[in-house]
Every structure is written in C-alpha cells, then in structure tokens.
Amino acid sequence: MAPSNKTLGKSYDPEPIEKKWYERWTEKGLFRGDEKSDKPSFCIVIPPPNVTGSLHMGHALNNTLQDISCRFMRMSGYNVLWLPGTDHAGIATQNVVEKSLAANGVSRHDLGREAFVEKIWEWKKEYGSRIINQLKRLGASCDWERERFTMDEGLSRAVRAVFVRLYKEGLIYRGKYIINWCPRCRTALSDLEVDHHEEKGKIFFIRYPFNDGPGHVVVATTRPETILGDVAIAVHPRDEKNRHLIGRKVLVPVNGRVIPVIEDMMVDPAFGTGLVKITPAHDPNDFLVGQRHGLEPLQVIDEHGIMNDFAGPEFSGMDRFDGREKIVAILRQSDLLEKIEEHEHAIGHCYRCDTIIEPYLSEQWFVKAGPLAKPGIEAVRDGRINIVPAQWVNTYNMWMENIRDWCISRQLWWGHRIPAWTCSDCGYLTVSEDDPDSCESCGSTRIAQDEDVLDTWFSSALWPFSTLGWPDDTKELKTFYPTSLLVTGFDILFFWVARMIMMGLKFMDEEPFKNVYIHALVRDEHGQKMSKSKGNVIDPLEIIEKSGADSLRMTLAALTVQGRDIYLSPERIEIYRLFMNKIWNASKLAMANLEGNEPAAIEDATGLRIHDLWILHRLDDTIDSVTGYLKGYFYGEAARALYQFVWSELCDWYLEMAKPALRGDEGDIRRASTRNVIRHLFDRTLRLLHPFIPFLTDELWEAFGFGDGSIEEVSWPQPIRLQDGGNLGSMAIFQELVRNARNLRSEARMHPQQVVPEAVVFLNEENSGCKESIMENSDLFRLLARVGKISVPEPGSAKPPKSLVAVTGFGEMFIVAGDLLDIESEIARLAGELKRSKADLDKSARKLADESFIARAPEEIIEKERSRLSQTRDKIMLIERNMESLSRQ
C-alpha cells in the first residue's frame, strides 16, 4: 500500500493523537476477548485498584507491563482477554464517605446502616470510574465490556458460595481470639494490614510484691497500661535464675490482685529480667499461654482504645496512653517502678489511618488457612505456577509454611455482609447462600444476620474465577481459566496472590494462573520511596499531560529490571519523550522518500549494499531478542533493545548512509531497493514498538499507509534471514573506522563539518580481506567521517605525516590533518594529557603495590584498579603514537 496523503506535524503532539486512537480502538472492539474463539487463549485479570484510588506510578508501571504482554500476545495470534475491574476497598471507601458526611456534621450512625450503604453506592456511581478512565488514558487495552466490581451481583454470589462451602467443611469458624484492632477504624485487621514502624519507646521495669511476705519480682514491659489485665507472671522452665519462683504468688501493682507465677516455653529468658507478665486479652502470645494454662482473660481496654470498667474506677474512661502515664506515675509514687530504659522496637499501625493498633480479644470469623496452604505450596514447588523473578519463591514458601488462620471478619458496614444468621430462640447459626426466612434448626423466624462484613481480600481472593462467571459453569471459565499471567507488586504477594492460589486450587481444582510476574517499587531518583510528605511524588497523570502516555510507558518499561526497584526522575522521562520525537522525525524522513513507491518484497539481496544487509540483519536480531524477552517477561531488556536499534542503528547509522541513494546519487535501482528496505524497516519496527508505545505507532502506521486499522490487527514480525554474503564482519570494521575517525576529530577539536584531506587504513593480517569491502563503500565512509578520501595501503607502506592515529582491533587508522590543524598546539595539548596520564599510572601502580590495600580492599575494587592501570597504559601508548605521528614530516 502506498503512503497516505497525511502530513506529519513538525513534532509529535500526543494529546489529540491519544484521544483519537483510544476511541477508535474501543469502537472497533479490538480489546474484546472471544469466548468462542478457536485461537489459543491468553488471559490476565487486572489487580483491581481500589474504587477510591487515583492512578499513581505503581499503577502506571503495573498496567503498562500488563498492556505490553496483552498487545504482544494479540499480535502473536492469541485470543486475549485482559479483564478489568475495581475493588470495593472496605475500610478505605467507608472512611472516604464518613469523612464526607462528617464535613456536614453527620455520622454513619445518624443515617443507619442501610442509608449509609446507599450513600456509598451513590459515591461509587459518581467517583468510582475515575481510576478506570485514568487507565484508559495510559492506553490500557482491557475488555471494558467485561468490567467487574467486587460487590456486583455475580461476584457477591460467588463470595457467599465460597463462604458457605468452607463453613460446611469446617474451614471457616467463629471464635474468640486476639486480633489486630484499629480503635480509629473500629475494625479487625489481618497481620498483613498492619504496618510496622521502628520507633523509640521505653521498657518499664516494675516490681510485683510477693503476697505472702517481703520481697518482690521485677518484670519488664513496654505496656504498663495493660498491668491491670495481668493474670500471671511466666518463667521459662529452664531458666535457672528464676525457676525457683514457679508456684509462688504475687500482687498486681496498683490494684493488688493475686496472680500466680507459672512456667511456659514462650518466655524469652534474655528479655528484661526473664520474667514476663501474662495479659491474655491484650497480647497474642499471652493469649496462647492463657489457653495452655486455663487462665481467664481480663480485658481492660475497649474497642475505642479506652480503659474500661474492668480497669477500675480510677482509670475507666481514660485513653489507653493517658492510662499509661497515670499508671507509671502511681508506680513511681508507690516505689514499684525500679527503672525505665530507652528501647527501639516495631510498633504496629493501621495501614489505612496510621493509628497504633491494639491487640484485642474479640469474637471473629476465621479461615483455617493451613489445609488450603498446602496445595498452594505444592503448585509452586511442582512448577504449575511459575513465579518471576524466582527470588520470591522462598519468600512465598516461608509465609505459606508458617501461615496463621486468617481473620476474615471486619466491623464495617461497607462490604460483603457475612451470610450467617443467629436464631434468637434456640441460638442456632444458619449459614446460607440465600437469605433464609427462618432458623434451619427450629424454624423460628426470629433470626438476625451477623453485623460484620468480610475482609476485602476475601472477595479479591476469588477474582480469577468469580470474574469469569463462577459459580456458574460459563463458557468464559472454560476458555480463559486458568488465566495465563498475573502482574503484581511484591507488597501483595501474601495479601492477594497466595490467597488467590489457595482459593483457585480449592474451588476450581486448578491453579488460577500459570505465571506470576512480580515487579518492584517505583522510587525517586535517589532511591527514596515516593510520598506526599517527602514531596518527591511524580504524578503519572501530569506526565501524560505534559509528555504523553507513550513517553511514560516507554520510560517505565525501559527502566524495568527483574527484581530491582525503578529509580524514576523527570530527566529520565524526558529521554524517552525525545525518543518519541526521534521516531516521529525519522518517519517523516522515510515518508518523504517513499511517496510514489510501490512496495516490493525483500526476498533476496539484489541491489543491496553492505549497510542494507547489515540493518536488515540487525532488524532480524532485534525481532528475535525482543520476542524472546517478552516471552520471558524481560520487559526492560526488550524496551532497551528497541531503543538501541531505533536510535543508534536505524536513525544514526542506516538513515544517514541511505540518504545518497534516496537522493538518486547511486542510480534508480539503488534508490528503489533502498526505498524497499526503508519500507520494510519501518513496517517491522512499528510492529515491534507497538506494545510499548501504541498511540504513536498507530498514528505512524496510518500515515505510512501500511494498513487501514491498528497494528493490533496485524501479526507480530518474523525475521526474513537474507544471506549477508559475509559482509557483516566488514560492516563492523567500517563502523569502527567511522567511530575512530569521529573520536580523533573530536579530541583534536576539529569542526564536525570540516572535511579532512584523507584517512589511511593499515589492516592487520587477519582482516586484510576486508580491503575490497572498505574501498567499495568508501563513499559512505567519506560521508560519515567527513574525509576527502580513504586509502588502504599494502602492509609495510610508509605512514603518512602530520596525522592523528587510532589503534584498533583491525589495525591502525591515520587521519591526515594537513593544514587544518595547528600541529604545534595539538602536540602541546597531547603533552599535557600525557603528563596527567603518567601521574594517574603512577598512582594506580603505587596503590596496587601497597600490600595493605590488597589485603583490605574488596576484590572488585582491586580488579577495578587493575583495569584502570591497564587502560591508562593503553592511553599513554596512544598519546605517544599521536605525538610521534603528528611530528612526522
């Protein structure tokens, strides 16, 4: 097809192009997965962003990588479904709406549960599509007709089905347990929802008097406010220093209750004094000790973080931290505080509101995780699930092998309400997928549903199969499950990935995905985590506004290395914005020379010169490498290979060498063959680039006239494998000649456009066969190196006078400067450089001769110094050769 009549603007303006193309893609249904297709399927379920969310750089990276894989697989002939959706985000969404109501002086309790939930649905309707629209601006090629929400009707039915089935198998139970509790959000948190911060605190050494005479024991604690709930003091049974105390009784300071001294293996004899206060209602380890010894928990802090009536009238109603201060003051006054030491330890905070969590004894719902975890461990161990990079496998196994029961109930109003109803008459618990009218046991209609909702991660754990229609046996499930790839951050490996594996194996009897690609964090240029408080956040939406989505996508892809964090800066994004302009301008040059050219297939090397064969070979290599990289999820390597090929090889080398032929300087046959090569290069290169920069490539594809629609609709490029006739080795020498000529000119401060009289090349014996090829392509050398002529004399010929010299792997090259260079000034400059280089050589030699340096320095530092010594010797030799060559008459 001939180029279109479209004229490209002076530079790439992404905004109108991105808007136009995204509308075209969606109108044409290019992203729709077909459950009836005969093609092999490739499916990704999007990690559902919170409905409250706004696109941040982590989202941008995650979805860029997913989109690259989806577009690559579509072009590779697969039936691709990238299934999008959002998460209802229980705590986060409820908090947002509560704050909105509070601004008008209204609380959720003023509205009541039903009206408050209705308010959240209204909020979701108004704001819930924000992040979806932002993903579209990034270019995400999701099947938007299949967009799901974790609380839509189908997913809610799946949640109930899973809950009921697990309950009936005894894998869900209700019981009292110490859980992480947020007094601000007033809900339970899983261990994974607690952020631990290292903070400076204090250890209080407190005296507990014996109840039967003088004396006392000293116990160390970081939480004196919980003393009021102590039910025992524990000693390790093999602690020789303290085991004689076992069986005695002591008085709880402040309230005087009598408690026993017991033995338990839980105690760390090295901490504090080796004695530990046991407070089962306020510490998870103490809770287990209490269960082993039949100790009744005594709860003295309530769900608001307030000291309750069991703490005693003197403390009841006080904030827990105010209670701490008052108890410490009383202990000091009573001479029961022996000492206080500074102590740095990890304090748990709510991941949503940053409130310090309270270990809290509460009746909650739990999943027995152990039986579900075992098949999940085996699936990874057997290779049925491939985690990339593999460094995360050990982390996954460690967590799964030490998994604790999962607390799944949350004291919220927004979420999937637990499908359990308690009978007021007989106390029986009816657990049902459908809302019951009466008690299953006695038939009474006086039943009440549990007030709690399920942990958000419970519904998210079902995402790969619930979104495809489970519990119904749908065509989508048969076509797209198990899914092919999950792309996610390491921070939710346990929150989400492990739980999806457990649930998928349990309910589908098959792993939920074949491959898990875990990407790293996007940090600032100094390696710091981005945060508003640090002021170092780079907003992807601002980058898209300023530089376009393709610039951001290419930046994130190119900076990706498996297992390594991304250090992002505006300067790095600018590099890839300039890359977009480079592609744009190169395309303009190509199109200007393709007008009126009828395409012809490149089937053999007829009419092709060394640089044509070289660039076609390099294109084939790039196709191979990019294809392999994308299949192995080496996104960064693929992007960097494309950047190198397009900028350096296609633009900086080939298009420059092709200009004489395009002008007609080499005749009509050469002009036609060069145009065919260029057409082939841009056709295949745009295809390779499309998964990374889809907007720009489709705009150029249309402008070139390569097709009527999107690149998405054509096949992934394949190598053509033309025979190069052994010329590629000569091309490598040719490029080295040009680079050395340019370097010599640059070091001598010669003007880039100044033509020097001659270049003389002396080939060593093993490369003597390249003489013919060099001379056949001397016109290209003269063009790129800006020299009047090039010659390759016989070995042993006289070296030219007044010349700059480069020593290379193929021999020597002399640039005859003639009168264009002030020889005396250049020799003086080289003499100064020689003096500095000899000083550097002496410094390196002395360092390597120093036995203490060799003994102390790491091997890589020593090796670096040896390399520096060798390079400096080579540099000195080259300077001396140039001084000699310039002096030659």
Side-chain angles (χ1 to χ4, degrees), residues 397-427:
N397 286 336
M398 189 181 303
W399 187 78
M400 292 287 272
E401 287 164 1
N402 296 281
I403 199 167
R404 291 171 56 179
D405 285 358
W406 173 16
C407 177
I408 55 170
S409 46
R410 297 291 181 269
Q411 290 63 48
L412 302 170
W413 287 355
W414 174 244
H416 296 100
R417 196 165 173 182
I418 289 174
W421 288 259
T422 302
C423 179
S424 300
D425 291 333
C426 73

Side-chain angles (χ1 to χ4, degrees), residues 161-226:
V162 166
F163 185 95
V164 171
R165 294 178 198 187
L166 289 175
Y167 177 79
K168 290 184 175 177
E169 288 185 42
L171 292 173
I172 282 182
Y173 65 93
R174 186 167 63 171
K176 281 213 165 194
Y177 203 80
I178 284 281
I179 46 91
N180 303 302
W181 181 266
C182 175
R184 154 65 180 77
C185 298
R186 274 183 269 169
T187 188
L189 301 173
S190 72
D191 290 344
L192 299 171
E193 292 170 316
V194 177
D195 291 334
H196 287 91
H197 307 160
E198 285 293 329
E199 298 179 16
K200 289 182 178 178
K202 292 180 171 64
I203 300 180
F204 301 85
F205 290 79
I206 300 168
R207 296 169 179 161
Y208 285 66
F210 292 120
N211 78 316
D212 55 359
H216 60 264
V217 297
V218 177
V219 177
T221 181
T222 58
R223 299 200 64 201
E225 67 274 20
T226 63

Side-chain angles (χ1 to χ4, degrees), residues 12-15 18 55-57 60 64 134 137-138 522 530 536-556 568-578 580:
Y12 178 49
D13 180 10
E15 185 178 3
E18 290 174 1
L55 192 74
H56 58 61
M57 205 54 83
T64 292
Q134 292 167 350
R137 289 207 60 191
L138 185 67
V522 183
M530 291 187 188
N536 64 346
V537 172
I538 300 176
D539 185 344
L541 296 170
E542 290 180 6
I543 298 299
I544 291 171
E545 287 288 341
K546 180 182 175 183
S547 303
D550 283 339
S551 300
L552 176 61
R553 290 167 61 107
M554 192 69 186
T555 304
L556 292 172
L568 189 65
S569 67
E571 291 74 20
R572 288 185 169 181
I573 298 167
E574 178 65 11
I575 289 170
Y576 293 96
R577 187 194 67 79
L578 293 174
M580 301 304 114

Side-chain angles (χ1 to χ4, degrees), residues 4-240:
S4 71
N5 295 322
K6 181 167 184 167
T7 302
L8 296 181
K10 184 177 180 182
S11 61
Y12 178 49
D13 180 10
E15 185 178 3
I17 290 170
E18 290 174 1
K19 186 174 185 297
K20 173 187 78 177
W21 279 105
Y22 205 87
E23 287 175 356
R24 282 197 196 176
W25 295 333
T26 51
E27 284 170 7
K28 206 165 185 180
L30 294 185
F31 307 150
R32 178 160 179 78
D34 183 1
E35 69 275 13
K36 299 174 183 176
S37 173
D38 293 329
K39 293 179 180 179
S41 66
F42 178 85
C43 180
I44 296 180
V45 289
I46 199 170
N50 287 352
V51 71
T52 57
S54 181
L55 192 74
H56 58 61
M57 205 54 83
H59 291 132
L61 170 65
N62 180 279
N63 287 280
T64 292
L65 300 183
Q66 290 179 82
D67 195 51
I68 289 169
S69 281
C70 287
R71 291 179 185 270
F72 167 64
M73 296 304 284
R74 282 192 198 97
M75 294 177 69
S76 299
Y78 283 76
N79 173 30
V80 174
L81 171 61
W82 183 11
L83 199 151
T86 51
D87 192 282
H88 67 277
I91 295 176
T93 308
Q94 180 160 316
N95 280 346
V96 166
V97 177
E98 281 197 79
K99 285 179 182 177
S100 175
L101 291 172
N104 296 313
V106 178
S107 75
R108 63 183 167 112
H109 300 285
D110 295 332
L111 292 178
R113 183 168 193 148
E114 190 174 329
F116 177 70
V117 169
E118 185 56 40
K119 282 286 183 187
I120 298 180
W121 279 109
E122 290 173 10
W123 182 93
K124 191 260 179 187
K125 185 177 180 181
E126 185 172 355
Y127 299 105
S129 61
R130 175 176 54 189
I131 195 163
I132 294 298
N133 292 330
Q134 292 167 350
L135 288 172
K136 291 177 180 179
R137 289 207 60 191
L138 185 67
S141 60
C142 298
D143 185 345
W144 297 111
E145 292 178 15
R146 284 191 166 95
E147 182 186 337
R148 305 305 299 268
F149 178 54
T150 50
M151 281 186 62
D152 67 24
E153 185 179 347
L155 272 67
S156 296
R157 191 158 63 91
V159 167
R160 279 203 172 187
V162 166
F163 185 95
V164 171
R165 294 178 198 187
L166 289 175
Y167 177 79
K168 290 184 175 177
E169 288 185 42
L171 292 173
I172 282 182
Y173 65 93
R174 186 167 63 171
K176 281 213 165 194
Y177 203 80
I178 284 281
I179 46 91
N180 303 302
W181 181 266
C182 175
R184 154 65 180 77
C185 298
R186 274 183 269 169
T187 188
L189 301 173
S190 72
D191 290 344
L192 299 171
E193 292 170 316
V194 177
D195 291 334
H196 287 91
H197 307 160
E198 285 293 329
E199 298 179 16
K200 289 182 178 178
K202 292 180 171 64
I203 300 180
F204 301 85
F205 290 79
I206 300 168
R207 296 169 179 161
Y208 285 66
F210 292 120
N211 78 316
D212 55 359
H216 60 264
V217 297
V218 177
V219 177
T221 181
T222 58
R223 299 200 64 201
E225 67 274 20
T226 63
I227 282 173
L228 303 170
D230 288 356
V231 297
I233 300 295
V235 176
H236 194 284
R238 290 197 293 272
D239 181 357
E240 294 298 330

Side-chain angles (χ1 to χ4, degrees), residues 742 745-746 749-755 783-786:
R742 287 173 171 175
R745 294 171 57 106
S746 175
R749 298 181 177 84
M750 298 176 73
H751 194 281
Q753 298 304 313
Q754 199 170 35
V755 177
L783 172 72
L784 297 178
R786 305 295 291 169

